[in-house]
Amino acid sequence: MNVPVPSATGPEIVTQESLLLGAAERIDRIRQGRLAIHVHLSRLRPQNRQDGHIRIALRMLEPMINAYRGQMFLLGNSDVVFMLKDPNLTDVENMVFKLRALFSKDPLTFVDKGDGRDNFCTWFDLGVTSDYEAFVGMSRTVTEEARQRSRDKAKARVELPPIDPTGLGEVMEALAAIDVSGMIRRQAAIVIDGTSAEVLFQEFYIAMAELQKALAADMNLLGNRWLFQHLSQTLDLRVLSALQDMALRKRPNMFSLNLNIASVLSKQFDDFEKSESTRSALSVEFQVLDVLADSRGYYAARERLREVGHQVVLDGLNELTLQFMDVTQFDADLYKVTWSPEMGEGEHGDITAAAMAPLGMEKILLARCDSESAIQWGLNQGIQRFQGRYVDAMLAAYTMAGCNKSSACTLGQCIARHGVVAGPMRSECGNNDMLDSSPSMRMPKPRRTPEATA
């Protein structure tokens, strides 16, 4: 499977904090009657903040979350945040009392510092603008803290030496002996038409962190781009073979695969193509760096794919590549552009939108959309296709709304299970039919900012 550059961070990690922020932003226009409570378990003394007690607290909350169409988030620092719709306040107060009793040995639950604040939990009446703004601010803060923890962990890791030819040979031998299906991940992209949204395709790729752990714990697989390129061609073939045997209840309407140019001309690709010809359409994504390195091979692969009706996607684009490179010369069916928060900022966003315009907004897929603001920015530019963790959360939420087993799951679990095609996480789902189906969704209309309408 392809990677953009050796230092790429890989697929985004969905955190409870990012899901909380997405949920907070999503309810902006439907706040009336909604209540949120932030339980500050991170303030407990370490000996009172045991995993077992926190699991009990979550189980205690589940009936109320289900009764009042709520959501619950366990943050990385052990805090719990839950949101409810039109709750009975007496029920909520009783539940908070029970939670306080669960941790009653800790001073946090009974010490009064004299400032009038409840140090154990914070209440937000989301129908009140000041409370809602404070809640969104808190959500943004914990999300950034989670990202910083992730960055700190990355810095703390021991720097692994890059893979060398000897190590590549050992990895190739090990790869031949393992089942890669448990490492395959999927992520949906959607197309929004008016106020409805449908799944456009499901992208399948290898989870590089798991591959690294299983095959090369003592070396960096991405440390040498050219050696990894050789490995990725073998990975392409293994994934194509595994996808043919994939035991899904429902095949996606369209597969999207990020492949090496050479892989499109392989026998394994022919076999996969034949096996799916009557079941699913096919979209193939090529990294822009690979296209630049082998433009002749790209054009040949593109024509071979188009001859039989497949879609060609140019991946790995961002604001800079759009501004300083003429990507129209590659004549793809779709162009996948990575979203960044800076794109939503005034003049910077205008420049990026202008750079996209020659491609045609109907051919843009905005990727790595981690918040509603990313979707709204894209809609305001005329973009209809989106992919990213906000989309993951939205799909899981709609799935749970129609699933008769949803009471046994959290939104985070549903998102994670959607992302795998085999293994224990999938078997834990009580409704694989829903897991493999694509729900129809309702989407908000584009909202024009004051600057855009001025």
Side-chain angles (χ1 to χ4, degrees), residues 116 155 291 332 354:
K155 290 179 182 178
V291 172

Side-chain angles (χ1 to χ4, degrees), residues 89 111 160 168 221 230 234 250 255 258 271 348 354 370 389 398 436:
L89 290 182
V111 170
L160 295 176
L168 176 63
L221 288 178
H230 183 72
T234 301
K250 178 177 172 55
F255 277 89
N258 200 320
D271 292 341
H348 187 99
D370 60 357
R389 60 189 182 194
Y398 272 91
D436 293 338

Side-chain angles (χ1 to χ4, degrees), residues 196-270:
S196 65
E198 302 286 344
V199 172
L200 175 65
F201 60 68
Q202 287 184 9
E203 179 182 355
F204 293 82
Y205 59 90
I206 282 284
M208 289 307 303
E210 292 192 24
L211 185 73
Q212 172 87 52
K213 183 178 179 180
L215 299 183
D218 58 349
M219 67 183 80
N220 181 4
L221 288 178
L222 303 179
N224 183 312
R225 173 174 172 77
W226 307 114
L227 290 180
F228 180 79
Q229 188 83 6
H230 183 72
L231 172 63
S232 70
Q233 292 175 11
T234 301
L235 278 174
D236 284 351
L237 307 186
R238 293 296 309 278
V239 170
L240 288 169
S241 177
L243 290 178
Q244 291 182 67
D245 301 326
M246 188 170 51
L248 297 182
R249 300 293 179 87
K250 178 177 172 55
R251 310 291 281 191
N253 292 330
M254 179 182 287
F255 277 89
S256 185
L257 304 171
N258 200 320
L259 298 177
N260 287 278
I261 292 170
S263 299
V264 173
L265 306 176
S266 68
K267 179 182 183 301
Q268 285 85 345
F269 183 81
D270 289 341

Side-chain angles (χ1 to χ4, degrees), residues 21-266:
L21 177 57
E25 292 178 336
R26 193 161 54 247
I27 63 169
D28 184 11
R29 296 175 304 283
I30 49 172
R31 295 186 279 120
Q32 202 61 39
R34 294 183 183 272
L35 176 72
I37 295 182
H38 182 184
V39 186
H40 302 285
L41 300 185
S42 61
R43 298 176 181 174
L44 294 167
R45 292 177 176 176
Q47 65 268 28
N48 298 323
R49 197 172 61 242
Q50 301 298 319
D51 289 345
H53 287 83
I54 293 174
R55 285 197 296 270
I56 292 171
L58 296 177
R59 284 200 295 269
M60 288 169 59
L61 284 166
E62 283 178 359
M64 190 173 68
I65 299 299
N66 294 330
Y68 294 114
R69 292 177 291 168
Q71 291 177 267
M72 178 167 56
F73 308 89
L74 174 60
L75 308 187
N77 64 358
S78 298
D79 280 1
V80 175
V81 180
F82 59 94
M83 302 164 57
L84 306 171
K85 177 73 169 89
D86 296 321
N88 182 307
L89 290 182
T90 300
D91 288 348
V92 182
E93 289 169 352
N94 288 340
M95 180 54 65
V96 171
F97 178 81
K98 292 177 182 178
L99 289 174
R100 200 185 300 271
L102 178 64
F103 299 99
S104 60
K105 293 181 179 180
D106 195 286
L108 179 69
T109 63
F110 56 80
V111 170
D112 184 355
K113 294 186 177 180
D115 56 6
R117 296 182 179 181
D118 183 349
N119 296 302
F120 181 70
C121 64
T122 303
W123 294 55
F124 300 91
D125 180 351
L126 301 182
V128 177
T129 299
S130 58
D131 272 22
Y132 174 69
E133 290 176 350
F135 181 64
V136 173
M138 178 275 291
S139 302
R140 287 174 177 157
T141 297
V142 298
T143 299
E144 181 53 40
E145 288 173 351
R147 289 172 179 164
Q148 186 60 51
R149 285 195 298 270
S150 178
R151 289 192 289 265
D152 291 343
K153 287 180 181 178
K155 290 179 182 178
R157 292 192 193 107
V158 176
E159 189 72 23
L160 295 176
I163 191 170
D164 57 21
T166 300
L168 176 63
E170 294 172 352
V171 169
M172 296 285 279
E173 289 182 12
L175 179 61
I178 66 170
D179 178 8
V180 300
S181 60
M183 300 179 186
I184 296 177
R185 298 291 180 266
R186 62 179 173 180
Q187 185 180 52
I190 62 171
V191 57
I192 298 175
D193 183 7
T195 58
S196 65
E198 302 286 344
V199 172
L200 175 65
F201 60 68
Q202 287 184 9
E203 179 182 355
F204 293 82
Y205 59 90
I206 282 284
M208 289 307 303
E210 292 192 24
L211 185 73
Q212 172 87 52
K213 183 178 179 180
L215 299 183
D218 58 349
M219 67 183 80
N220 181 4
L221 288 178
L222 303 179
N224 183 312
R225 173 174 172 77
W226 307 114
L227 290 180
F228 180 79
Q229 188 83 6
H230 183 72
L231 172 63
S232 70
Q233 292 175 11
T234 301
L235 278 174
D236 284 351
L237 307 186
R238 293 296 309 278
V239 170
L240 288 169
S241 177
L243 290 178
Q244 291 182 67
D245 301 326
M246 188 170 51
L248 297 182
R249 300 293 179 87
K250 178 177 172 55
R251 310 291 281 191
N253 292 330
M254 179 182 287
F255 277 89
S256 185
L257 304 171
N258 200 320
L259 298 177
N260 287 278
I261 292 170
S263 299
V264 173
L265 306 176
S266 68

Side-chain angles (χ1 to χ4, degrees), residues 301-374:
R302 186 192 65 187
E303 295 314 304
R304 180 251 184 272
L305 292 167
R306 281 184 172 167
E307 283 176 1
V308 288
H310 299 324
Q311 178 175 261
V312 176
V313 181
L314 191 62
D315 193 5
L317 302 174
N318 56 35
E319 304 138 276
L320 293 178
T321 55
L322 289 173
Q323 293 174 41
F324 298 107
M325 184 189 307
D326 178 17
V327 297
T328 60
Q329 62 184 303
F330 301 122
D331 186 27
D333 300 303
L334 280 181
Y335 299 89
K336 186 180 283 193
V337 179
T338 300
W339 158 263
S340 72
E342 291 75 21
M343 289 164 63
E345 297 176 359
E347 184 179 356
H348 187 99
D350 294 339
I351 292 173
T352 303
M356 290 181 180
L359 302 175
M361 294 301 183
E362 73 281 0
K363 288 189 172 185
I364 299 291
L365 190 155
L366 198 60
R368 290 184 179 261
C369 296
D370 60 357
S371 67
E372 185 181 7
S373 58

